[in-house]
Amino acid sequence: MRLASDARSIARDLSRLTPDWRNPERYFETRDDLRHRLQRLANQLENTRG
């Protein structure tokens, strides 16, 4: 199932999230990207159940 695969991908990326001391902004950019991906996934889940 695509949604389960997306959730696993986000979880994997989240587990790898660490500060980048050479480019501190990258941490926040990646964090925000993960947040957006989770929000899209939640919206998809709501749409498939409705």
Side-chain angles (χ1 to χ4, degrees):
M1 179 177 223
R2 173 96 171 120
L3 297 178
S5 175
D6 289 347
R8 285 187 196 97
S9 174
I10 293 168
R12 183 186 65 244
D13 291 347
L14 185 59
S15 71
R16 294 178 180 169
L17 185 61
T18 58
D20 182 343
W21 302 114
R22 290 173 278 160
N23 184 359
E25 294 83 18
R26 184 176 297 159
Y27 170 84
F28 297 103
E29 292 167 354
T30 303
R31 182 197 63 184
D32 290 345
D33 178 58
L34 289 169
R35 184 172 45 90
H36 290 287
R37 289 170 58 193
L38 278 172
Q39 289 174 336
R40 282 195 305 266
L41 181 60
N43 290 337
Q44 290 175 341
L45 286 168
E46 286 177 342
N47 290 334
T48 60
R49 293 178 185 213

